[in-house]
Amino acid sequence: MSGVRIVDMSFAPLLPGPYPPPGEIVPLSFLDTRWIHLQQPVQNLLLYPDSTLSSSSLHLFKTSLTQALSFFHPLSGKLTYRHATDQLVIDSSSPDCGVSVIEVESDLDIHRLINEENIDIIAFTNLVPSFSMDKLPVPVFAVQITKFVGGGVSVGTALHHTVMDGIGFWRFMETWAAICRDNGAPFQWHLQTSHDRDVILHPHKEVIATRFMKLLAPDLPQLPQAPKSLVQDRLRLTRHTFTLDHTAIKFLKQRACTQSDDQTIFVPSASIAIAAHVWVSLAKAKRLPKENDATSLWLLFDLRAYLKGMKNDVLFTGNCIRGVPVKSSGQDLTAPQGLANACLAISHAVKAVKERPLDGVERWPDEFKNRPTGMNVMVAGSARWGVYETDFGWGRPGRVELVSMNFDGEVSMLAGRDKGSVQATVALAGGQMEVFEKAFIAGLAQQGQSDYPGKARL
């Protein structure tokens, strides 16, 4: 065996309802239809080096998935186009609804996959499932569990972005892992889950949802086709994972404060400070010193705390994020106070979104499609996502990664494995990673020192 071998394929069925509102048919909002054009699922991988997979633990893994789906039933359904109402929905009404589970065996070295800072994208891709996204209806979720012959287990997932965003997904994973860890005991979630898109309040929300659908997927039920170069483009990217501990993050935030010329003293969040540091480091790596060298950062931002329809005691699982465009120049980012400039630009853009979270929603697809030419950075995830707490009873994972990164300048951010740390995975094309890494590490070094405070490595 070389790499991976499929051992079996099974199915975790959706248990009979009733299901919470809106029931087995979930009409999608414009925050969901915004993602209909994606040509591949969102793929995540969790590696557990110290676990073993017996027949009993595999059975519990699959039965606990069935139980967890009762709380998150849209994951069992199919993304469907209803011609009569010209509407996209997640349909869980069919008796064959559920989630495919692929069982795989691999002779790959899990410890190598965990410890290498540069991601082996071919190996990682073989450890996550996928599904066809050519024509509706299509499934929205799939699972792959891999047993390594040298010891260890991995869990790979594939998710259609229209069904939920990262917050909803990782809450599902937390629920599933807790049920499995507790040997199938009934799960008592401290928040009620809601899949009802009626909480998204906007006077023209149906019209906007339809407009996004027509603009991004004009030939429904046929979906936009992935270019043949998609796989090759992914392989051309180099991905490197940086983990910044509490000391390094504190140092970054202090540098942003002390460099700032703004009269208002502010302390950036960890997510903003790290996103700004990546942006500045990439500008330096690409040698963008000129004022007319335009550059932009696109930050995916969670709106749950800022929409009037949301309740504090209810977890909304659907998509509830928007892109926050931030613009700057090579001159501003590579200046001595570049980190502060970047933090201020991001903070001001985020503040405007907090005050008017759905402002200009009709233009969102056009804004992203018509991003300015030049260097672009896209940041997804959050330093608050505690993905390393996903324990199925095998201990905490040794590594968690977003596998489906396809763009030069893409950044995936997660809470790190160690307390107070943050993990940032950066994807770059064209042999830029070595130069970027030097700029990234140099930006964490104190003046007059060749090293950086704390840790900034995997």
Side-chain angles (χ1 to χ4, degrees):
M1 177 178 60
S2 177
V4 298
R5 178 177 67 89
I6 295 177
V7 175
D8 196 8
M9 299 185 70
S10 55
F11 192 72
L14 176 64
L15 298 175
Y19 309 114
E24 55 193 16
I25 305 295
V26 180
L28 299 184
S29 78
F30 58 83
L31 294 174
D32 303 306
T33 59
R34 166 69 185 81
W35 303 100
I36 185 61
H37 67 296
L38 293 188
Q39 297 156 333
Q40 67 168 27
V42 179
Q43 296 164 306
N44 283 281
L45 179 65
L46 302 90
L47 296 164
Y48 296 86
D50 301 321
S51 58
T52 57
L53 193 65
S54 64
S55 58
S56 59
S57 60
L58 177 60
H59 176 74
L60 178 59
F61 177 81
K62 293 190 287 188
T63 56
S64 60
L65 172 58
T66 293
Q67 290 178 259
L69 291 172
S70 298
F71 296 93
F72 295 80
H73 70 275
L75 289 173
S76 308
K78 289 182 170 62
L79 176 61
T80 304
Y81 174 61
R82 291 190 153 188
H83 188 272
T85 57
D86 198 22
Q87 191 178 37
L88 284 170
V89 302
I90 304 295
D91 187 348
S92 303
S93 63
S94 172
D96 64 349
C97 282
V99 173
S100 296
V101 180
I102 306 171
E103 300 166 34
V104 172
E105 189 176 79
S106 174
D107 61 1
L108 293 168
D109 182 353
I110 191 172
H111 295 283
R112 176 183 70 82
L113 298 178
I114 288 173
N115 292 322
E116 285 185 344
E117 294 177 348
N118 283 345
I119 293 174
D120 183 342
I121 189 57
I122 295 177
F124 274 50
T125 300
N126 285 332
L127 296 174
V128 293
S130 190
F131 46 75
S132 173
M133 295 173 64
D134 296 333
K135 186 176 181 180
L136 301 182
V138 295
V140 296
F141 187 54
V143 172
Q144 176 175 322
I145 183 165
T146 302
K147 178 180 179 180
F148 294 86
V149 295
V153 174
S154 71
V155 176
T157 63
L159 175 77
H160 200 300
H161 207 323
T162 54
V163 69
M164 62 179 57
D165 59 23
I167 295 207
F169 170 73
W170 286 111
R171 288 297 172 87
F172 163 74
M173 293 296 289
E174 180 183 353
T175 301
W176 177 19
I179 295 172
C180 188
R181 186 173 64 246
D182 294 338
N183 293 310
F187 182 70
Q188 299 297 322
W189 182 245
H190 65 281
L191 288 177
Q192 177 185 350
T193 55
S194 171
H195 317 294
D196 191 350
R197 272 59 172 178
D198 282 348
V199 299
I200 307 295
L201 303 180
H202 191 284
H204 309 297
K205 60 183 181 180
E206 290 86 3
V207 174
I208 298 171
T210 302
R211 177 178 180 270
F212 285 7
M213 181 181 71
K214 298 293 187 183
L215 177 66
L216 300 171
D219 300 318
L220 291 173
Q222 195 73 33
L223 293 173
Q225 298 300 298
K228 294 181 180 179
S229 62
L230 182 63
V231 174
Q232 289 78 12
D233 289 344
R234 177 190 281 196
L235 295 178
R236 279 195 283 268
L237 296 174
T238 301
R239 295 160 181 78
H240 189 103
T241 297
F242 301 88
T243 299
L244 287 78
D245 69 4
H246 173 73
T247 304
I249 296 168
K250 182 179 179 181
F251 177 69
L252 268 185
K253 295 165 74 171
Q254 288 175 338
R255 278 190 58 217
C257 290
T258 55
Q259 288 182 1
S260 175
D261 293 328
D262 191 280
Q263 292 182 354
T264 302
I265 300 299
F266 82 103
V267 179
S269 68
S271 292
I272 288 178
I274 295 171
H277 182 52
V278 170
W279 198 13
V280 167
S281 300
L282 191 53
K284 291 179 178 178
K286 289 179 176 285
R287 294 185 170 87
L288 296 180
K290 298 179 182 179
E291 186 175 1
N292 59 355
D293 281 335
T295 175
S296 65
L297 180 140
W298 196 268
L299 179 70
L300 296 181
F301 184 74
D302 178 26
L303 300 176
R304 284 171 177 80
Y306 308 99
L307 295 180
K308 294 180 179 178
M310 297 291 171
K311 298 179 180 179
N312 292 333
D313 59 343
V314 175
L315 172 68
F316 176 64
T317 65
N319 282 287
C320 200
I321 55 176
R322 68 163 290 177
V324 180
V326 190
K327 298 178 182 179
S328 187
S329 69
Q331 185 180 55
D332 283 345
L333 295 184
T334 59
Q337 70 278 15
L339 181 64
N341 291 339
C343 284
L344 281 170
I346 298 171
S347 297
H348 289 161
V350 168
K351 180 182 178 182
V353 168
K354 290 179 179 179
E355 293 171 352
R356 303 181 66 180
L358 297 180
D359 185 46
V361 59
E362 301 88 349
R363 302 187 300 273
W364 287 359
D366 300 311
E367 285 180 357
F368 187 76
K369 183 178 180 182
N370 299 320
R371 285 173 295 171
T373 57
M375 189 189 79
N376 289 294
V377 177
M378 186 176 73
V379 181
S382 169
R384 294 177 295 179
W385 288 3
V387 301
Y388 281 92
E389 303 307 315
T390 311
D391 178 6
F392 288 91
W394 313 326
R396 299 165 70 226
R399 187 170 191 172
V400 181
E401 291 286 356
L402 172 66
V403 177
S404 50
M405 299 178 70
N406 300 305
F407 304 105
D408 181 23
E410 188 171 355
V411 181
S412 171
M413 198 179 303
L414 307 167
R417 194 174 193 278
D418 296 329
K419 185 177 180 180
S421 66
V422 176
Q423 173 179 309
T425 300
V426 181
L428 295 176
Q432 306 170 77
M433 187 59 75
E434 184 177 352
V435 179
F436 169 80
E437 183 179 353
K438 290 179 179 178
F440 188 91
I441 298 301
L444 292 168
Q446 299 202 39
Q447 187 174 6
Q449 295 184 359
S450 59
D451 202 0
Y452 50 85
K455 299 178 181 178
R457 55 183 175 81
L458 186 67

